[in-house]
Amino acid sequence: TEISGRATIRDDSDIFGSAHVTENSIIYDALVYGNATVKGDSIISSGAKILGNTVIDGKATIRMSGYIDNAKKYICVGPIGDNHGFITFYVSVSNIIYVSCTNFDGGYSWFNGSIYSFEKTVRRNHFKDDKKSKRMYLNAIKFAKKHFKTVLPL
């Protein structure tokens, strides 16, 4: 196990095996194990599990029982929209696609939930006066659905 850089580990987190947590990553209430690496400005929390040979990098945010055992089970898109935020699409332990949206600095999360709830939020409530950003988010959702069709069991 290696924890280095400005990485933060707190609350009920466990890092074990040959796992690496480096750079500015934040891990809380989560597990990172096996040969997994979490780096960049990534945030792993709320019961998420990162394992295997997976590398989580950039501004990815994985929460809500995310279960990432290979790199194909998450996508981070951004910066996107007028707020230059980041969207992380990821798979839960029950093979449900979840979404976490954060602002540019990763500190403020404006959405956490299923991809279907996220799509409803974008279509109905969000970006009422910003059609360009709305279209960008809807295209990201479409891309994620296509990607995860090839990853998840039917």
Side-chain angles (χ1 to χ4, degrees), residues 111-146:
F111 185 88
N112 288 296
S114 75
I115 193 168
Y116 301 105
S117 296
F118 180 57
E119 186 171 14
K120 284 181 187 176
T121 299
V122 171
R123 287 189 187 280
R124 293 183 183 166
N125 307 331
H126 216 66
F127 309 115
K128 289 180 182 178
D129 298 322
D130 184 0
K131 292 182 181 184
K132 181 180 176 185
S133 290
K134 182 176 187 172
R135 188 170 51 250
M136 292 169 78
Y137 276 81
L138 291 173
N139 283 333
I141 292 166
K142 185 177 178 180
F143 172 76
K145 285 180 177 179
K146 283 185 179 181

Side-chain angles (χ1 to χ4, degrees), residues 36-58:
T37 299
V38 179
K39 60 184 183 175
D41 294 315
S42 301
I43 299 170
I44 311 298
S45 68
S46 306
K49 294 178 177 73
I50 311 300
L51 62 144
N53 293 315
T54 305
V55 176
I56 306 293
D57 196 0

Side-chain angles (χ1 to χ4, degrees), residues 7-80:
T8 302
I9 313 297
R10 60 181 204 228
D11 298 337
D12 292 326
S13 297
D14 283 319
I15 314 299
F16 56 92
S18 297
H20 300 278
V21 179
T22 65
E23 298 172 13
N24 296 315
S25 300
I26 299 171
I27 312 293
Y28 59 96
D29 294 327
L31 298 175
V32 180
Y33 58 99
N35 293 316
T37 299
V38 179
K39 60 184 183 175
D41 294 315
S42 301
I43 299 170
I44 311 298
S45 68
S46 306
K49 294 178 177 73
I50 311 300
L51 62 144
N53 293 315
T54 305
V55 176
I56 306 293
D57 196 0
K59 292 192 176 279
T61 301
I62 299 173
R63 303 173 185 215
M64 299 174 61
S65 300
Y67 184 83
I68 313 300
D69 60 358
N70 71 67
K72 293 180 181 179
K73 290 193 175 177
Y74 89 99
I75 302 168
C76 187
V77 178
I80 187 170

Side-chain angles (χ1 to χ4, degrees), residues 65-110:
S65 300
Y67 184 83
I68 313 300
D69 60 358
N70 71 67
K72 293 180 181 179
K73 290 193 175 177
Y74 89 99
I75 302 168
C76 187
V77 178
I80 187 170
D82 283 349
N83 67 352
H84 308 290
F86 288 82
I87 309 169
T88 306
F89 298 93
Y90 59 93
V91 178
S92 74
V93 69
S94 56
N95 285 329
I96 295 171
I97 302 167
Y98 278 98
V99 180
S100 182
C101 293
T102 56
N103 65 343
F104 180 73
D105 65 8
Y108 168 73
S109 182
W110 64 266

